[in-house]
Amino acid sequence: MGFERVGGEQAKGFLSHSDMLDISRALEDPDRWAVRITYTRSDNKTTSRIVSPVRFYKANLQALCLGREQMRNFALSRIQSVELVDARDCLMPEPIEKRPSPDSGK
């Protein structure tokens, strides 16, 4: 299932199944994978960002933007391309580790 892009030439395209798999792979193993996205902002400027995805939220990708070291929401309809990149080659503020929740008893 793809997500339709909106506005201008992008209206013809969809976020591909392969793109969604790459994002999902980075979600599952954030210490190993990040994604480089080409993103069209609301002011129609296109940027390239390396992000560590956190979750899909409604029609957005919530992710840690590694360049800004801040959480950002990226509209799926504005993502033009996705490239899986090795997180070890990115400057990460600190490793992202899955830790047990305090109430899990571990």
Side-chain angles (χ1 to χ4, degrees):
M1 175 180 195
F3 292 89
E4 189 171 353
R5 294 190 173 128
V6 295
E9 291 296 318
Q10 292 81 26
K12 297 177 185 175
F14 290 84
L15 199 55
S16 74
H17 181 69
S18 175
D19 290 342
M20 293 300 290
L21 287 175
D22 285 347
I23 293 170
S24 295
R25 192 170 184 188
L27 273 165
E28 291 171 8
D29 193 358
D31 287 323
R32 177 72 177 97
W33 300 109
V35 290
R36 177 179 289 116
I37 60 171
T38 302
Y39 184 77
T40 302
R41 300 183 332 198
S42 59
D43 63 2
N44 287 325
K45 291 184 181 178
T46 300
T47 64
S48 178
R49 310 271 185 101
I50 296 178
V51 301
S52 181
V54 173
R55 68 180 180 151
F56 291 105
Y57 180 72
K58 297 185 181 180
N60 296 297
L61 172 66
Q62 189 175 53
L64 174 64
C65 177
L66 298 182
R68 296 181 186 249
E69 295 185 1
Q70 294 180 337
M71 292 300 293
R72 299 285 189 197
N73 290 313
F74 299 96
L76 294 174
S77 62
R78 294 183 176 275
I79 297 174
Q80 303 305 309
S81 66
V82 175
E83 176 188 356
L84 196 62
V85 296
D86 191 327
R88 297 171 295 185
D89 294 335
C90 303
L91 294 175
M92 305 262 299
E94 63 181 69
I96 300 170
E97 298 175 2
K98 294 182 182 178
R99 297 185 179 133
S101 63
D103 54 80
S104 70
K106 293 184 180 180

